[in-house]
Amino acid sequence: MKELPHTLTAKKEMLVRLKEDFLQKNQRYEQVKSKVKELREQLAEAEQKRAELEARMEFLQTQREFEAQDKEIRMAAEKEQQIRRDLQREESRMEEIKQELERERLLIEEQEKEISKEEEAIQSSLQEKMKVLEELKREEEKIGPLLDPDMVFKFSRIIQSKEGVGIVPVIKDVCQGCFMLLPREFVNRIRRGEEIIFCPHCSRILFFQEVPEEVPQVEEEEEESFGELSDLVDEDELFEDDLIDDEDSIDFLGEEEEEGETIAPSTLLKHKEAPEEEIEEDLDEEDLDHPLEEEDIDIEDEVDELEEEEEEEEIDEDIDEYDED
């Protein structure tokens, strides 16, 4: 009930400030308005004086009188122009203040309407709360004689000192009235509910309130994320890639067997994983890594030379025998 008029009070204070500003601007408007009136009168006098001086020009006879009269006319005209400029400035200022006053007047009217509506709503709400309060008082009168007088007195003192909040829950071992942590044994006594227990810090009556524990959903989210990643890869594409790699390795082995060359198992693995350019480089390196083949070629050449020498010796012996015969 005490909290209901707070917003209404703030709006009323704002309305008072708006009215004060409106009054101050209205005073300025009246001052400017009176000055505009005064300037208009001065302008009319200046125009009349200039017209009279111009009318006298017809009756002048000497040059000196004519020059003096012309000077007075110029001075009257300058004064008239100055008054006209001042009048225009004050009129524009008066118009601005008038527009501001109109805006503030509309704002004040809207604020007054809102305040009247809120007052009506507060009055209706207040009447309903008064009815509920009367019903609670009647129930209190019925139950009061059955309660311990000391407990009722203590509870009424707590309500008065704690702004009407005398009973609060205990959530996760914390009093929700003063937000102080309570001992575990003390909380277990409150949980059992066998007696009326007061908070040792704020003196409010306590009751235990269960808080449902939130089930973590991290594992499910991780499984869903893994599932989404696996959906991005097609199993058929993976199977086709494996088949292509196997076919390339088989074709390479077939070509090497036709040429009569032996390939080490490590080389086979390299050719299966490496691209075609790296395969050619590996084969060139293997040819360089077998110097025994060059030695075998040199030995065969020496054997051929020895056989040729033996044949030449046999031919020479036959020729010598023939000469002797």
Side-chain angles (χ1 to χ4, degrees):
M1 290 174 64
K2 292 181 180 179
E3 294 178 357
L4 287 175
H6 286 344
T7 56
L8 183 61
T9 304
K11 288 186 176 181
K12 283 184 176 180
E13 291 176 354
M14 182 178 178
L15 181 61
V16 170
R17 289 195 296 270
L18 287 173
K19 287 182 177 180
E20 290 177 354
D21 293 339
F22 182 82
L23 291 174
Q24 291 177 0
K25 287 183 180 178
N26 193 21
Q27 289 177 358
R28 288 203 303 271
Y29 177 77
E30 293 295 333
Q31 291 174 358
V32 174
K33 187 177 179 180
S34 63
K35 191 172 183 179
V36 167
K37 185 179 178 181
E38 183 180 353
L39 289 171
R40 285 175 180 173
E41 292 176 354
Q42 291 177 5
L43 180 62
E45 292 177 358
E47 289 175 351
Q48 186 179 359
K49 185 176 181 180
R50 180 179 56 79
E52 291 176 355
L53 292 172
E54 289 176 353
R56 291 177 188 175
M57 293 288 289
E58 298 177 359
F59 302 102
L60 298 177
Q61 295 178 358
T62 63
Q63 183 68 24
R64 188 174 179 181
E65 290 177 352
F66 183 82
E67 290 176 357
Q69 192 72 14
D70 184 61
K71 185 177 180 181
E72 289 181 3
I73 290 170
R74 287 198 306 271
M75 291 176 65
E78 289 177 359
K79 185 178 180 181
E80 179 184 350
Q81 293 298 324
Q82 183 64 36
I83 293 170
R84 197 181 299 278
R85 286 193 293 270
D86 294 340
L87 179 61
Q88 290 177 355
R89 185 178 65 252
E90 294 298 327
E91 283 178 348
S92 62
R93 184 183 174 191
M94 184 178 69
E95 187 63 25
E96 290 176 359
I97 296 172
K98 186 178 179 180
Q99 292 177 0
E100 290 178 0
L101 287 172
E102 185 64 21
R103 287 195 297 269
E104 291 188 2
R105 185 183 65 79
L106 295 174
L107 185 60
I108 288 170
E109 290 179 356
E110 291 178 359
Q111 195 75 9
E112 287 176 347
K113 289 179 181 178
E114 289 181 1
I115 289 171
S116 62
K117 288 181 181 179
E118 288 191 6
E119 283 179 346
E120 292 176 358
I122 288 171
Q123 288 296 328
S124 61
S125 177
L126 187 61
Q127 291 176 0
E128 292 177 359
K129 289 183 180 295
M130 290 299 293
K131 291 178 181 178
V132 174
L133 184 61
E134 290 177 358
E135 293 178 359
L136 292 173
K137 285 182 178 180
R138 286 195 293 269
E139 292 181 1
E140 183 183 1
E141 291 175 356
K142 293 178 181 179
I143 301 172
L146 303 176
L147 299 176
D148 185 5
D150 295 335
M151 186 65 68
V152 174
F153 177 75
K154 188 174 182 180
F155 184 69
S156 62
R157 292 289 299 274
I158 292 170
I159 291 174
Q160 291 176 2
S161 62
K162 303 301 179 183
E163 297 182 353
V165 181
I167 302 174
V168 293
V170 175
I171 300 174
K172 294 183 179 180
D173 300 346
V174 176
C175 171
Q176 298 303 307
C178 59
F179 299 100
M180 296 295 292
L181 184 65
L182 303 174
R184 182 56 60 87
E185 295 180 358
F186 189 78
V187 174
N188 291 332
R189 287 174 55 197
I190 299 168
R191 185 197 295 266
R192 287 194 293 269
E194 298 175 353
E195 54 184 330
I196 297 175
I197 300 176
F198 296 88
C199 177
H201 303 287
C202 64
S203 302
R204 292 183 176 94
I205 296 175
L206 303 175
F207 67 93
F208 187 80
Q209 182 176 343
E210 293 284 351
V211 178
E213 296 182 357
E214 296 181 358
V215 179
Q217 299 179 356
V218 177
E219 296 180 357
E220 295 180 359
E221 293 178 356
E222 289 180 354
E223 290 178 358
E224 290 178 359
S225 63
F226 286 127
E228 292 175 357
L229 291 173
S230 62
D231 293 338
L232 296 175
V233 182
D234 192 357
E235 294 181 355
D236 296 334
E237 293 180 358
L238 292 174
F239 184 68
E240 290 177 0
D241 293 337
D242 294 337
L243 287 177
I244 290 168
D245 294 337
D246 294 338
E247 289 176 359
D248 294 338
S249 61
I250 291 168
D251 293 338
F252 175 74
L253 287 173
E255 292 176 359
E256 296 297 334
E257 287 177 357
E258 289 177 0
E259 293 177 0
E261 295 181 359
T262 60
I263 301 172
S266 61
T267 308
L268 291 176
L269 293 173
K270 288 182 180 178
H271 294 321
K272 185 175 180 181
E273 297 177 356
E276 293 180 357
E277 295 179 357
E278 293 181 359
I279 291 170
E280 294 178 358
E281 293 177 358
D282 292 339
L283 290 175
D284 294 336
E285 290 177 358
E286 287 179 2
D287 293 337
L288 295 174
D289 291 338
H290 293 285
L292 294 175
E293 294 179 358
E294 295 179 359
E295 293 178 358
D296 293 338
I297 292 169
D298 295 336
I299 291 169
E300 290 177 358
D301 293 336
E302 291 178 358
V303 170
D304 292 335
E305 289 177 359
L306 291 172
E307 289 178 355
E308 289 177 0
E309 291 177 357
E310 289 177 356
E311 289 178 358
E312 289 177 358
E313 289 176 358
E314 289 178 357
I315 291 169
D316 292 335
E317 289 178 357
D318 293 334
I319 290 170
D320 292 335
E321 290 177 359
Y322 181 79
D323 290 336
E324 289 176 359
D325 294 335

